[in-house]
Amino acid sequence: MELKEYLKSNFLVLDGAMGTMLQNAGMEAGALPELYNLTNPELITSIHRQYVEAGSDMVLTCTFGANEKKAAGCGHEIEELITAAVANARASGAKFVGLDVGPIGELLAPTGTLDFDDAYRMFARQIVCGAQAGVDAIYIETMTDLLETKAAVLAAKENCDLPVFATMSFEATGRTFLGVPPEAAAITLQGLGADAIGINCSLGPVEILPIAARMAEYASIPLILKPNAGLPVVSDGSFHYNITPEQFIEALRDYLPLRFTIFGGCCGTSPEYIKNIRTMLSGAEFALPERKRTAALCSGTKFVPADGVCVIGERINPTGKKKFKAALQEHDIDYIIDQGIEQADAGAHILDVNVGLPGIDEREMMLEVTQELQSVLDLPLQLDSNDPNVLEASLRRYNGVPMINSVNGEEASLNGILPLAAKYGTMVVGLTLDENGIPDSVEKRIAIAEKIVTRAAQYGIPPERIAIDCLTLTVSAEPSGAMQTLSALTEVKRRFGVKTCLGVSNISFGLPQRERINAHFLAIALAAGLDFPIINPNIASMMSAVDVHNLLHMRDEGSVHYIEKYAVTESTAAAAPTSTKEMDIATAVRKGLGDECATATEHLLDSNDPLVVVSDHLIPALDIVGDLFEQNKLFLPQLIRAAEAAKCGFDAVRARLAKTGSAEPSANKVILATVKGDIHDIGKNIVKVVMENYGFSIIDLGRDVPPERVVQTAREQNVRLVGLSALMTTTLGAMEETIRQLRADGFDGKVFVGGAVLTPDYAETIGADYYCKDAKASVDVAKEFFGA
C-alpha cells in the first residue's frame, strides 16, 4: 500500500533517536553522524533494524545534517551521503523510508542573511537526491523558522511527488525559537500542501501537550508527534533525559483524543520507547483530524483568526495619495514602512499592500516592501495586485499565510489568481465584477460571487478562505448603491458561507465631512455581516465603530479591550509620535528602525555628551526590548532587528566621537565560540549581535572551534569572559573539554554556556560559571561581570 493511502486508515509508527543510539555505540563527540553512512554502514543499518524490530513502520535516513552548510568540508558530496543513507535504511527491512531533512543552520533574510532562493535550492538538492535514491516520503523536521520550513516544503512539493511530512520544534513558551506559534505553523504548512504536520524535539510529551492541542485546533491533516524522552537532566555527572519508556507512553495516550496518528521519538528515545508506542496503538481507536472550517491569516510570529471583525489598513496604496505615489517614484521605503507602523499602532489587524504605479517595477517593489514590512511588523499582509507574476513572487517569499486582493469574475482573473491561492494556501478576496463591469443589481453580484466560489472549489479552496467584496459604490453618484451592496453582502454570506470584505471609504467620495459618512456606513455594514473592513485605522471614529460593534456583539469578553482603550482621558493619554521621523531612541529601537534610531541619536548628540546618550538612552532602550522579549511580548526576529537598529545609534555616537577627536571608550572583550564538532552557530551569532550593541567587543571564533584555539585566544588577548555554544548532545563533551583546558591553562575569568541541549544543572556539572538560556541572559551576565 502506498504511504498516502496507508495514512488514511492506519497509525504510523516512526523510529526513535539516531544520535542517542550512535552515542551509545561509541560515536566520538563532535563526529558528523552522516559520515557513518559511508564509514560504518553496518552500524546505521543495525540501528534502523532495531527500530523496525521494535515496531517502526517508517525509519528516517541518517541525513539530518546532509546539506551544503552542515556537511561542508566533510570530504564527500551530499549526494554520496544521502544515497548511502537511503540504502542503509532500506537494508533494515522497514515498510517505509523517509528522507530526513533538517534545518540548514543559518537564519533566512530578513532576520538573517541567507536568501530564500538559496535555501530552496539547498533543500531541493537534498530532496531530488533522496527521491532518486528511492525514499517513500520527505520528512522535514526540527524546524524553528516558518519561512525556512516553507522553503523546504516548496522544494519537496515542486521537485517530487512523494508525501511531505513537516514538524517544528517548540519551546516551553509555546513558540519556536524564532517565535512561531503552533497555529501559524498549522495553517501555513497544510496550506502549502504538506501531507502531515506536527511537533518534534525540544520538549518531552508532557510539555508538548498544550502546544499540540493548539496545533490540532487548526489542523485538518494527519498529525505527528515525535517528542524527546522528557527533559534533559544531570545525575551522577552524566547527561540524560528524565522520562522512562513507561512514563513516555502514558503521556502519549493524551494525544489520541487530539487525533494524532503518527508517533515516534526524538532525543533520548530508543527502541524500547518505540516498542511501547506500538503496543499502545495496537488497541487504540484510529481517528484522523476533522476538516476545520476556520479562516485565519498569519505572519511568522502572529496568528490572526478571522472569527470576528478584522480591520485591513488601507494606507499602503497609491490610489488618491500624492505622497505615497511620490514615495514609490523616489523609492522612499522608509515612508512606506512608516505608513505600516502607524496603522499597526492604530489597531489594524492586517495591512493591505499595493505598490502598483506606472513606471514602477511592481514585482520588485512588492518583494522589497513586503520583506521590509515583515522585518519590522508582525501583522499579516494582504497582497494587493491583479498581476499573477507580482503575486507569485511575493507569495513565495511571504512568511506565513497572507490574503490575496483580488480575484474577480473575469476568466483571466479566475485562471490567473485562483491557482496561486490554492498553491500557497492563502485567503483570497473575490470582487463581484466581471467583463461587463460592476453589476447594477443585487442578483447579478450574487451570481458572480457564486461563480467565484464554485471555481475556487475546483481548485480546492473552501468557502471559509474566500472573502467576497460586493463593492462599495459612491453614494453621491449611485444613491441606491449602498443598500444594494449591503443586501448583496448579507446574502452571499448566508448562501455560500464565505467571509465578506468592503473598501468602506469609497461610499463618501465627492461629499463633505466624509468621515461622518464612512463611520456610519461602517457601523451598518458590520451589523450586516462585514468581516474585513478596509479602512484607515488612524481615523478614531472608524476604529471606535469596530470596537463598539465587538463590544455589543460579545466579541470583547469582559469589555476588556474597550475599557483599556477608552478609559483614558485626553489629559492622561500618552501622545504617540505622529511619524517614525519624530521617534525617540527607545521607540525606534523597539520597532527596529535603524535610520530613525540614528536620527534620534544625532539629535541628542547635539546637546548631550556621547557617553550620556549611550548610558541614558541607547542601553535603556535595549533593556526595554530585552524585558519585552523575556515577557514573550516580542520575539527573536524583533529582538535581532532591535539590536541592529541600536547599532545604527551606536554608529552615530562613534562617528561623533571621531569627528570631535574624542577617544572611544575601550570595550570589554568577550570570546564567543561554537564548540568543536558543532556546526550550528545561529544561537551564537544572535548572542554576538545583541552583545555588540550593548557595547561589548566580541571576538567571534566561529563554529567547530577546538578547545586549544579558545585557550590560546583567551591567553594572547587577555580575555576574561568566554561564551561557549552547543546545540547537539554529541558535542557537550567538547564543551566540557574546552572549559577544562581553560582552567588548566590558568584562566581566571568566567565561562558562560548556552544551547538547546543544556540545562543549568549540566552547565554547573561541566564547570561553567553561568548558564544562559538566550541572548538577553548573556548580556545580563556580561553586565554583571564587567560591572557595566
Side-chain angles (χ1 to χ4, degrees):
M1 182 185 298
E2 289 189 357
L3 182 55
K4 286 185 180 181
E5 287 299 314
Y6 189 87
L7 294 176
K8 294 178 181 178
S9 56
N10 296 277
F11 288 109
L12 185 74
V13 179
L14 304 173
D15 54 11
M18 173 60 74
T20 299
M21 297 290 284
L22 287 172
Q23 283 180 300
N24 293 340
M27 183 178 70
E28 295 181 5
L32 186 68
E34 288 75 15
L35 273 178
Y36 275 60
N37 288 302
L38 298 170
T39 61
N40 197 343
E42 296 83 5
L43 175 59
I44 299 295
T45 296
S46 171
I47 293 171
H48 288 316
R49 186 175 293 117
Q50 290 178 60
Y51 282 122
V52 171
E53 292 172 351
S56 293
D57 299 306
M58 184 163 81
V59 298
L60 305 181
T61 56
C62 182
T63 54
F64 178 80
N67 64 59
E68 293 174 23
K69 293 289 185 180
K70 291 182 178 179
C74 75
H76 297 274
E77 296 293 332
I78 65 167
E79 285 79 6
E80 292 181 78
L81 299 176
I82 291 173
T83 301
V86 175
N88 295 336
R90 279 285 174 220
S92 70
K95 187 180 299 180
F96 302 110
V97 171
L99 178 71
D100 195 345
V101 178
I104 291 170
E106 291 189 13
L107 291 174
L108 269 66
T111 305
T113 58
L114 181 62
D115 183 73
F116 180 90
D117 289 339
D118 288 337
Y120 173 90
R121 178 186 55 77
M122 292 181 206
F123 285 127
R125 182 180 175 188
Q126 294 173 265
I127 288 161
V128 167
C129 180
Q132 291 175 347
V135 296
D136 301 294
I138 308 300
Y139 192 96
I140 300 158
E141 65 155 314
T142 323
M143 292 290 184
T144 60
D145 182 350
L146 190 58
L147 188 59
E148 182 179 17
T149 316
K150 179 176 184 174
V153 171
L154 284 175
K157 298 295 292 184
E158 293 175 352
N159 289 280
C160 71
D161 57 1
L162 298 171
V164 178
F165 295 30
T167 62
M168 301 193 76
S169 296
F170 294 84
E171 300 187 346
T173 60
R175 292 174 176 262
T176 72
F177 179 59
L178 283 174
V180 182
E183 298 90 345
I187 66 167
T188 301
L189 300 180
Q190 70 184 12
L192 291 170
D195 296 279
I197 58 173
I199 301 171
N200 82 295
C201 205
S202 292
L203 302 169
V206 174
E207 294 77 21
I208 288 175
L209 184 61
I211 305 169
R214 291 167 56 189
M215 179 175 280
E217 186 176 353
Y218 290 91
S220 299
I221 59 177
L223 287 163
I224 308 166
L225 181 71
K226 211 170 189 281
N228 291 347
L231 299 176
V233 295
V234 177
S235 60
D236 299 326
S238 64
F239 178 95
H240 61 276
Y241 290 85
N242 69 348
I243 288 186
T244 66
E246 291 73 26
Q247 294 169 325
F248 185 84
I249 209 64
E250 285 305 311
L252 257 59
R253 295 185 191 279
D254 292 332
Y255 290 81
L256 294 174
L258 298 177
R259 301 192 175 211
F260 276 71
T261 58
I262 304 173
F263 294 92
C266 207
C267 301
T269 60
S270 65
E272 188 175 357
Y273 288 80
I274 302 305
K275 182 178 180 181
N276 283 5
I277 293 176
R278 180 90 271 169
T279 301
M280 177 194 76
L281 295 179
S282 63
E285 182 178 349
F286 179 87
L288 286 170
E290 296 177 341
R291 188 172 85 78
K292 309 299 191 299
R293 297 182 181 275
T294 54
L297 303 171
C298 71
S299 65
T301 56
K302 189 176 186 68
F303 176 75
V304 178
D307 54 3
V309 178
C310 292
V311 171
I312 301 176
E314 69 180 8
R315 299 297 299 167
I316 304 178
N317 190 318
T319 304
K321 303 179 183 71
K322 291 183 180 179
K323 288 185 178 180
F324 196 93
K325 288 180 181 178
L328 288 175
Q329 292 165 341
E330 297 166 10
H331 198 257
D332 186 355
I333 301 299
D334 287 345
Y335 177 84
I336 298 172
I337 301 307
D338 187 3
Q339 297 299 304
I341 290 171
E342 288 180 10
Q343 292 179 97
D345 288 347
H349 302 99
I350 303 159
L351 298 179
D352 182 77
V353 182
N354 185 320
V355 295
L357 194 68
I360 297 294
D361 186 335
E362 186 183 1
R363 180 185 183 278
E364 291 305 311
M365 182 63 77
M366 181 71 88
L367 281 171
E368 183 175 4
V369 169
T370 53
Q371 178 166 295
E372 287 297 316
L373 284 169
Q374 288 213 294
S375 74
V376 299
L377 296 171
D378 63 358
L379 295 185
L381 305 180
Q382 176 174 265
L383 305 180
D384 190 349
S385 175
N386 57 13
D387 186 335
N389 293 322
V390 171
L391 288 172
E392 172 129 41
S394 298
L395 288 169
R396 192 169 189 80
R397 293 162 182 79
Y398 178 88
N399 192 4
V401 175
M403 180 180 281
I404 294 175
N405 186 13
S406 56
V407 70
N408 61 55
E410 296 181 22
E411 286 299 315
S413 178
L414 293 167
N415 295 332
I417 306 298
L418 289 180
L420 296 178
K423 177 177 180 178
Y424 294 100
T426 73
M427 292 195 69
V428 61
V429 174
L431 306 181
T432 54
L433 60 82
D434 57 16
E435 292 85 352
N436 299 313
I438 300 174
D440 57 6
S441 70
V442 171
E443 292 74 18
K444 290 178 181 178
R445 293 191 204 183
I446 293 171
I448 294 175
E450 183 174 19
K451 179 180 180 181
I452 293 171
V453 172
T454 301
R455 291 288 287 275
Q458 294 172 5
Y459 287 100
I461 303 169
E464 61 268 19
R465 277 175 40 201
I466 302 170
I468 294 295
D469 186 341
C470 291
L471 300 171
T472 306
L473 301 179
T474 303
V475 72
S476 59
E478 295 286 345
S480 64
M483 292 304 104
Q484 283 189 348
T485 295
L486 297 179
S487 296
L489 182 153
T490 302
E491 188 62 16
V492 298
K493 188 165 186 174
R494 184 190 69 81
R495 287 195 197 182
F496 309 126
V498 295
K499 298 293 182 179
T500 55
C501 179
L502 282 179
V504 174
S505 61
N506 294 342
I507 194 71
S508 61
F509 282 138
L511 293 172
Q513 298 192 34
R514 293 186 61 196
E515 182 180 322
R516 183 190 302 272
I517 300 170
N518 294 345
H520 190 72
F521 179 65
L522 174 60
I524 298 173
L526 292 172
L530 176 60
D531 300 293
F532 292 103
I534 302 177
I535 62 174
N536 181 356
N538 301 313
I539 298 176
S541 61
M542 301 295 280
M543 292 303 292
S544 66
V546 173
D547 294 332
V548 171
H549 176 84
N550 285 334
L551 177 72
L552 298 180
H553 287 76
M554 296 183 292
R555 289 171 176 164
D556 181 3
E557 188 174 351
S559 308
V560 172
H561 175 76
Y562 186 86
I563 292 171
E564 286 180 352
K565 186 171 180 178
Y566 296 103
V568 181
T569 65
E570 290 186 11
S571 60
T572 60
T578 58
S579 167
T580 56
K581 307 299 182 187
E582 304 169 11
M583 283 183 177
D584 58 18
I585 286 176
T587 304
V589 169
R590 179 171 57 82
K591 294 182 179 296
L593 299 169
D595 290 345
E596 286 72 16
C597 181
T599 299
T601 302
E602 287 166 357
H603 287 164
L604 284 174
L605 288 169
D606 290 338
S607 55
N608 292 273
D609 181 88
L611 295 184
V612 171
V613 174
V614 171
S615 63
D616 292 1
H617 296 277
L618 284 167
I619 296 298
L622 283 168
D623 286 340
I624 290 170
V625 171
D627 290 342
L628 291 171
F629 176 73
E630 288 188 336
Q631 297 168 36
N632 288 319
K633 292 182 179 179
L634 57 76
F635 307 99
L636 191 57
Q638 290 89 353
L639 178 66
I640 294 173
R641 184 78 181 191
E644 295 289 357
K647 183 177 184 297
C648 295
F650 282 106
D651 288 344
V653 171
R654 295 186 184 102
R656 184 65 62 95
L657 288 170
K659 185 181 296 184
T660 60
S662 303
E664 187 175 340
S666 58
N668 296 304
K669 294 187 288 188
V670 182
I671 289 174
L672 294 180
T674 300
V675 299
K676 176 66 177 174
D678 203 319
I679 44 72
H680 300 85
D681 61 356
I682 288 178
K684 183 264 297 174
N685 291 342
I686 292 167
V687 170
K688 175 186 176 182
V689 169
V690 177
M691 292 190 74
E692 282 181 335
N693 288 292
Y694 269 88
F696 299 107
S697 177
I698 304 301
I699 302 170
D700 183 3
L701 299 183
R703 58 189 183 183
D704 191 19
V705 181
E708 297 78 11
R709 188 178 174 205
V710 177
V711 172
Q712 180 182 359
T713 305
R715 185 193 323 116
E716 292 179 350
Q717 300 202 33
N718 192 30
V719 180
R720 299 187 61 249
L721 184 62
V722 174
L724 302 175
S725 172
L727 180 69
M728 303 184 296
T729 57
T730 55
T731 59
L732 290 176
M735 180 177 281
E736 183 176 11
E737 177 60 17
T738 302
I739 297 172
R740 189 196 67 77
Q741 289 194 27
L742 279 167
R743 304 297 187 206
D745 192 64
F747 177 75
D748 63 350
K750 300 291 185 181
V751 178
F752 64 97
V753 297
V757 295
L758 281 165
T759 64
D761 288 343
Y762 193 70
E764 182 179 355
T765 298
I766 62 176
D769 299 288
Y770 303 98
Y771 162 75
C772 296
K773 65 177 182 177
D774 52 40
K776 175 61 167 56
S778 302
V779 168
D780 292 341
V781 163
K783 289 167 69 176
E784 175 187 328
F785 179 76
F786 291 113

